[in-house]
Amino acid sequence: MAAVANMPVSDLLKSFKLKTKQQELLIRVSILCLVYILAFITRLFSVLRYESMIHEFDPYFNYRTTLYLTQNGFYDFWNWFDYESWYPLGRIVGGTLYPGLMVTAALIYRILHFLRFAVHIREVCVLTAPFFASNTTLVAYFFGKEIWDTGAGLVAAILIAVCPGYISRSVAGSYDNEGVAIFALLFTFYLFVKAVNTGSLAWSLASAFGYFYMVSAWGGYVFIINLIPLYVLVLLITGRYSMRLYVAYNCMYVLGMLLAMQIRFVGFQHVQSGEHMAAMGVFFLMQVFYFLDWVKHMLSDTKLFQAFLRITVTCAVTVGTIALGLGMLSGYISPWTGRFYSLLDPTYAKDHIPIIASVSEHQPTAWSSFMFDFHILLFLFPAGLYFCFKRLSDATIFIVMYGLTSMYFAGVMVRLILVATPAVCLISAIAVSATVKNLTVLLRSKNKGVQTGSTKGSGSSKASSKALLDQSQPFQKNGAIALLFGAFYLLSKYATHCTWVTSEAYSSPSIVLAARGAHGSRVIFDDYREAYFWLRQNTPPDAKVMSWWDYGYQITAMGNRTVIVDNNTWNNTHIATVGRAMSSYEDEAIEIMRSLDVDYVLVVFGGVTGYSSDDINKFLWMVRIGGGVFPVIKEPDYLVNGEYRVDKGAAPKMLNCLMYKLCYYRFGEMLTEYGKPPGYDRARGVEIGNKDIKLEHLEEAFTTSNWIVRIYKVKPPNNRW
Amino acid sequence: MSQKTRMAPKPDPQSLSATAADSSAQVSIDPFFHILKFVPYSFLRPPRLRLKLPSFSLPSAMTVFSLILLTYFMVVSGFIYDVIVEPPGIGSTQDPATGAVRPVVFLSGRVNGQYIIEGLSSGFMFVLGGIGIVLLDLALDKNRARSIKVSYSIAGISSIVIAYVMTTLFIRIKIPGYLR
């Protein structure tokens, strides 16, 4: 009776028992769901520690434009002329930005409002990057599946979810183009590789639209439009030309180019700029290949065809070179711009373009930055390359090329580690997946051998031979288990490292500073926002603020006042004018400031708190940039024996220039550290030279509570009688 | 000949001459050929040379892989940083007590800065780890003698272990607050 009663229960359980294929699907889906959630929550450190706010400098401009978009609609946004920045020049915003990020955030905002979630646009902006990071893990899974197999796809998704190289630019609050662009980059690459593998027109068109999204999102689309032609060229050289490749590349190039021209900032660059000519050249080369293939198909005589081949290739190459030469000579095809040329020749920016060289993100990469951002993946990358070379196919050739070119560029510029991250994660996933598969095959084949031995074992000879084999098999089985544990240990170390790096290094908002107090308590400096809010409340609405270009976006977004120069840095002469004003004596500077209608001057000073990214440390760049346009400013005037000093032994020009006076006004009476004389600069570690500073044409308007931001008002000219 | 009607739509004279030269091997209608037959080469005799155009064959996959490994070593050890920033090969500090100059291997204080030697040694460790995994895969290949398989696997495991331990050690020395 009990057996009968138990039967329905066990039958019930049996009905729930899944087949192996369904079990595998369940495991895969649950892993992907967990990875999706993990990628999102690992980026939320700063939101939990501080508050939901926008970080850094550039995201404030993006936030301001998104705000404008949601308030005024797309047409006004696309045709917006901003008179509040770059006074008196203004900025054509619609034509000088990449709208992808703003449109995406506005779309998410509209969808949420449609579903009656009344969120503020700032929350949407803050959380856009983590949301797209989660989507990138899904794309990485499908891409890994395309290149290798589902196991590699899952590992790739996991690796990219926590990789610090990607997290650094996609934390919550980092509302910048890269957050969306990396998703678009990987998506376009996935669609293109899928198109090359299947030869289907639908996938090619999808990749063209993916490319359009990438062009709308980030200026780094130049990487795609150069990597894909290079990939096609490598396939042609290694003899892998096929109809699939022809269909994929032609559709993607033509439609992608037409779509890309819809973005005003890009305009006609696809036919006019030297950076895009590789794609066009390969496009024509593909037509030549197709033509030769067709002729070969028509002719049955191989010698005839060889002669024809030689002639056609020579003609094609000659015509192409002549066309390119004519284009470049006549000036129709513009040469490579400085930003991208400095990637090919890294010494170029140092000698010729100080603005590009001054940005800390543009420095070349040292080994520790690689280790910080990649950890274990640096071992797995060459191993993954080995596996790719063992099993060459169209897709693995692509990922190898993507990995190598992006690693080279990552070596040239620290910021481009971000572009290399998906490739490194995918190739490392291949290494992990292949190694683990080898080890588990070792495990499972040994089991099978033992089992068949036990079921079949009848004769003593068989038993003895099996016994001999059995001696090595458990050893190998144990070895395989030990190696699997080792792999698990390494991957868990990777996860620990990534979480630590995210928490300590990449989750700081930069606009709010934190430091450890005397007894280990955390001290928060919110001076920037204090100063911008003061500007917003206490200055006339049409006041013009002069500051160094770093703070321009934040002043317009939070202070809501007109600025002279901001982070767009599109006009070097204007920035040099500001740099000249900051490095001149007060009498010369006031002339420049009056010509620009400046009402307030804002400087950042770290002497009281020990904050090292202040304007005094950036001052030499102001001198260099100003001196690049106005030769009256000479860098050696501010140095003593080639050394940059602010104490008693500093150069007299340094001690009396406007920046020095504005930063150190009234600082001579300030006691900053116990046991040090008044006027001790904690960021430079010296006592300042000129303590008795008198300002003639400016007066102090506001200094924040920790002296980090100081605002001065330009006094109107004296009455004349 | 039926071949000619199915040829390329716009045959240029050179291709025509090629087809004509091939279809009837003796008489050529190429004017340049005839001119050259007369002007220098009626009295000049070209010497018999055994020159061959260098044939260009693609290198094998593993050759390319080893070249790539070399490039990877250079990139990851911060070679470009060394070329542009030109740091010293090894740093030095002065011992405050004795006044002697001691070498400092790791540039401390910044994540994105290095001396040349520390970059090269770290790059070597990364490549060693990669080669270790490759050796492991070679060890699991079925078509080798057992002793070679065992030695490959031991070499592979020891490479990975050494590379990982050294790299963690390096990063701990360089960044004092690592994992704390």
Side-chain angles (χ1 to χ4, degrees):
Chain A
M1 263 323 217
V4 175
N6 279 336
M7 280 265 280
V9 176
S10 59
D11 270 347
L12 204 64
L13 283 176
K14 271 215 178 71
S15 69
F16 277 133
K17 186 174 159 74
L18 300 165
K19 298 196 279 276
T20 316
K21 252 197 158 44
Q22 289 174 326
Q23 280 177 348
E24 197 225 351
L25 185 65
L26 178 67
I27 292 178
R28 262 194 288 143
V29 170
S30 54
I31 288 180
L32 281 177
C33 285
L34 286 175
V35 166
Y36 195 91
I37 297 173
L38 173 70
F40 193 83
I41 61 180
T42 191
R43 288 162 164 83
L44 294 181
F45 274 102
S46 72
V47 174
L48 296 172
R49 279 184 193 153
Y50 304 99
E51 60 179 80
S52 157
M53 67 177 142
I54 314 263
H55 298 183
E56 299 260 337
F57 300 114
D58 280 357
Y60 274 100
F61 172 70
N62 299 332
Y63 173 60
R64 187 165 155 251
T65 48
T66 316
L67 204 58
Y68 190 90
L69 172 60
T70 50
Q71 284 165 352
N72 302 52
F74 185 73
Y75 193 72
D76 281 338
F77 165 76
W78 203 228
N79 294 300
W80 183 21
F81 178 78
D82 183 22
Y83 53 84
E84 283 195 342
S85 56
W86 295 90
Y87 185 85
L89 305 167
R91 176 184 174 177
I92 306 170
V93 175
T96 57
L97 59 53
Y98 288 103
L101 175 70
M102 298 88 185
V103 170
T104 312
L107 204 64
I108 298 177
Y109 173 78
R110 291 241 185 275
I111 293 176
L112 287 175
H113 270 255
F114 177 73
L115 297 172
R116 304 293 180 260
F117 290 112
V119 293
H120 191 271
I121 182 71
R122 191 188 63 241
E123 319 301 335
V124 173
C125 290
V126 164
L127 294 175
T128 299
F131 173 60
F132 272 90
S134 303
N135 295 344
T136 308
T137 61
L138 287 183
V139 176
Y141 163 69
F142 285 112
F143 204 176
K145 203 162 83 137
E146 191 65 31
I147 295 176
W148 201 255
D149 62 11
T150 53
L154 287 173
V155 179
I158 297 170
L159 290 179
I160 209 173
V162 284
C163 190
Y166 185 24
I167 290 186
S168 62
R169 305 291 295 207
S170 67
V171 277
S174 171
Y175 181 56
D176 210 352
N177 298 63
E178 289 95 344
V180 173
I182 295 299
F183 167 74
L185 182 89
L186 206 57
F187 197 45
T188 311
F189 282 151
Y190 164 63
L191 291 172
F192 184 70
V193 170
K194 189 93 182 166
V196 171
N197 272 346
T198 58
S200 127
L201 195 62
W203 286 107
S204 318
L205 297 181
S207 75
F209 279 98
Y211 176 64
F212 170 58
Y213 187 45
M214 177 70 190
V215 170
S216 72
W218 195 33
Y221 75 90
V222 176
F223 181 62
I224 297 190
I225 202 66
N226 280 308
L227 179 64
I228 288 189
L230 196 64
Y231 166 61
V232 170
L233 203 60
V234 166
L235 282 186
L236 293 178
I237 290 177
T238 53
R240 285 173 187 268
Y241 169 77
S242 62
M243 198 58 190
R244 300 174 280 120
L245 180 66
Y246 182 77
V247 168
Y249 183 66
N250 280 347
C251 295
M252 195 240 174
Y253 177 65
V254 172
L255 195 63
M257 183 170 72
L258 289 174
L259 286 172
M261 293 199 209
Q262 309 309 309
I263 310 290
R264 282 169 63 195
F265 197 20
V266 173
F268 286 113
Q269 275 184 15
H270 276 73
V271 289
Q272 278 183 345
S273 154
E275 296 146 8
H276 302 75
M277 285 301 115
M280 190 180 282
V282 170
F283 175 66
F284 286 121
L285 190 66
M286 287 283 280
Q287 311 313 315
V288 171
F289 256 79
Y290 184 76
F291 177 59
L292 289 172
D293 213 36
W294 179 67
V295 168
K296 187 172 182 175
H297 172 70
M298 291 284 149
L299 288 180
S300 43
D301 193 345
T302 47
K303 280 226 276 205
L304 215 60
F305 176 67
Q306 292 294 336
F308 182 67
L309 175 72
R310 263 183 278 127
I311 291 164
T312 318
V313 169
T314 327
C315 283
V317 168
T318 332
V319 166
T321 331
I322 292 176
L324 187 70
L326 275 179
M328 300 212 71
L329 281 175
S330 68
Y332 184 73
I333 298 181
S334 55
W336 281 58
T337 56
R339 280 179 68 185
F340 294 114
Y341 186 70
S342 64
L343 289 177
L344 295 180
D345 177 14
T347 57
Y348 178 74
K350 193 166 73 148
D351 300 328
H352 298 268
I353 318 177
I355 279 197
I356 296 181
S358 71
V359 183
S360 67
E361 300 175 308
H362 291 182
Q363 306 307 313
T365 323
W367 76 271
S368 40
S369 294
F370 278 122
M371 179 71 184
F372 222 55
D373 282 341
F374 287 137
H375 201 241
I376 293 282
L377 305 185
L378 287 173
F379 301 139
L380 296 171
F381 183 72
L385 284 179
Y386 163 75
F387 284 112
C388 285
F389 272 101
K390 245 174 75 164
R391 190 163 102 182
L392 275 180
S393 70
D394 289 351
T396 49
I397 291 184
F398 177 78
I399 198 66
V400 164
M401 290 202 60
Y402 176 25
L404 292 175
T405 47
S406 57
M407 274 304 266
Y408 166 70
F409 290 130
V412 174
M413 205 187 265
V414 180
R415 186 182 174 183
L416 294 179
I417 285 185
L418 172 74
V419 176
T421 302
V424 171
C425 287
L426 279 165
I427 295 181
S428 312
I430 292 178
V432 171
S433 177
T435 310
V436 168
K437 201 165 222 174
N438 280 344
L439 291 173
T440 48
V441 157
L442 206 62
L443 266 182
R444 291 165 87 197
S445 72
K446 294 313 162 235
N447 277 335
K448 275 212 197 106
V450 169
Q451 277 176 3
T452 50
S454 59
T455 49
K456 272 203 231 151
S458 50
S460 56
S461 58
K462 267 196 191 166
S464 60
S465 63
K466 284 284 185 289
L468 262 175
L469 277 171
D470 277 345
Q471 275 175 3
S472 60
Q473 280 166 8
F475 177 71
Q476 284 193 355
K477 200 171 97 163
N478 288 338
I481 292 181
L483 284 178
L484 279 175
F485 268 114
F488 177 69
Y489 171 77
L490 280 181
L491 288 171
S492 63
K493 279 305 211 184
Y494 169 72
T496 316
H497 166 90
C498 293
T499 318
W500 180 84
V501 166
T502 311
S503 159
E504 292 299 312
Y506 290 141
S507 296
S508 89
S510 295
I511 192 167
V512 171
L513 311 166
R516 295 246 166 258
H519 303 288
S521 60
R522 193 177 227 138
V523 180
I524 305 255
F525 301 121
D526 207 359
D527 287 45
Y528 281 102
R529 294 196 291 170
E530 187 187 337
Y532 300 139
F533 204 57
W534 182 91
L535 263 184
R536 197 190 187 104
Q537 306 275 45
N538 296 294
T539 56
D542 61 349
K544 323 231 178 348
V545 180
M546 180 172 97
S547 70
W548 191 234
W549 58 263
D550 289 2
Y551 317 108
Y553 280 156
Q554 287 180 340
I555 295 176
T556 30
M558 279 192 275
N560 204 20
R561 294 288 175 265
T562 310
V563 288
I564 307 291
V565 287
D566 68 14
N567 305 58
N568 194 25
T569 64
W570 65 271
N571 192 329
N572 193 35
T573 313
H574 218 50
I575 296 180
T577 314
V578 171
R580 180 183 175 188
M582 295 292 194
S583 16
S584 315
Y585 294 125
E586 199 182 341
D587 300 324
E588 300 155 11
I590 192 70
E591 299 298 319
I592 300 175
M593 289 195 277
R594 292 235 169 87
S595 76
L596 288 173
D597 286 348
V598 173
D599 299 311
Y600 290 89
V601 183
L602 186 146
V603 292
V604 169
F605 172 58
V608 174
T609 48
Y611 177 52
S612 55
S613 308
D614 64 348
D615 280 355
I616 293 284
N617 277 347
K618 290 181 199 165
F619 181 63
L620 275 184
W621 285 111
M622 299 187 201
V623 171
R624 279 178 202 140
I625 294 174
V629 178
F630 302 105
V632 66
I633 307 280
K634 293 187 262 291
E635 191 180 341
D637 289 345
Y638 300 86
L639 304 172
V640 174
N641 291 335
E643 210 185 311
Y644 178 57
R645 295 166 68 169
V646 295
D647 54 1
K648 275 212 165 12
K653 182 113 197 224
M654 179 72 205
L655 289 176
N656 289 300
C657 69
L658 184 70
M659 177 57 73
Y660 189 94
K661 282 182 160 181
L662 294 182
C663 283
Y664 291 120
Y665 183 66
R666 288 193 309 115
F667 185 64
E669 308 129 24
M670 184 86 172
L671 272 170
T672 53
E673 214 170 294
Y674 183 69
K676 294 278 194 308
Y680 180 75
D681 183 346
R682 289 179 72 186
R684 259 66 54 186
V686 293
E687 187 186 345
I688 63 169
N690 187 2
K691 292 192 191 172
D692 188 21
I693 296 177
K694 297 222 180 331
L695 289 172
E696 198 185 322
H697 302 284
L698 296 141
E699 60 181 4
E700 188 180 0
F702 182 67
T703 299
T704 56
S705 45
N706 295 301
W707 285 55
I708 292 187
V709 183
R710 310 192 68 180
I711 303 180
Y712 292 83
K713 185 170 156 61
V714 175
K715 287 200 282 206
N718 287 329
N719 287 330
R720 282 177 281 210
W721 51 75
Chain B
M1 300 206 4
S2 56
Q3 272 183 5
K4 276 194 195 150
T5 55
R6 274 187 288 140
M7 275 278 292
K10 274 188 274 197
D12 33 309
Q14 286 170 310
S15 70
L16 249 186
S17 75
T19 62
D22 239 276
S23 57
S24 53
Q26 314 297 77
V27 178
S28 167
I29 60 167
D30 186 358
F32 287 109
F33 177 66
H34 286 285
I35 293 176
L36 286 174
K37 214 161 74 159
F38 278 120
V39 173
Y41 291 117
S42 55
F43 48 90
L44 282 181
R45 215 161 22 138
R48 282 177 176 274
L49 295 172
R50 274 196 245 149
L51 289 177
K52 247 186 352 172
L53 267 183
S55 67
F56 173 69
S57 69
L58 292 175
S60 81
M62 286 305 144
T63 324
V64 178
F65 174 65
S66 41
L67 281 175
I68 286 178
L69 211 56
L70 201 65
T71 326
Y72 176 72
F73 166 68
M74 285 182 26
V75 166
V76 124
S77 54
F79 181 73
I80 303 175
Y81 180 91
D82 296 338
V83 166
I84 294 190
V85 177
E86 288 167 18
I90 197 162
S92 57
T93 91
Q94 211 172 24
D95 192 16
T98 60
V101 174
R102 277 183 310 149
V104 167
V105 183
F106 290 96
L107 177 70
S108 49
R110 302 205 313 258
V111 173
N112 195 34
Q114 67 176 38
Y115 295 125
I116 299 183
I117 301 251
E118 71 172 282
L120 290 173
S121 43
S122 316
F124 173 70
M125 285 304 153
F126 296 140
V127 172
L128 189 67
I131 291 182
I133 303 180
V134 170
L135 284 175
L136 262 188
D137 175 69
L138 285 176
L140 294 171
D141 186 11
K142 295 219 190 319
N143 307 330
R144 285 178 216 269
R146 202 168 158 264
S147 59
I148 295 187
K149 278 168 71 166
V150 167
S151 56
Y152 271 179
S153 56
I154 291 178
I157 296 173
S158 53
S159 299
I160 298 177
V161 168
I162 290 177
Y164 177 68
V165 165
M166 292 304 283
T167 318
T168 321
L169 186 68
F170 285 169
I171 197 82
R172 260 204 204 122
I173 297 177
K174 186 161 175 96
I175 302 176
Y178 183 63
L179 278 184
R180 219 148 290 151

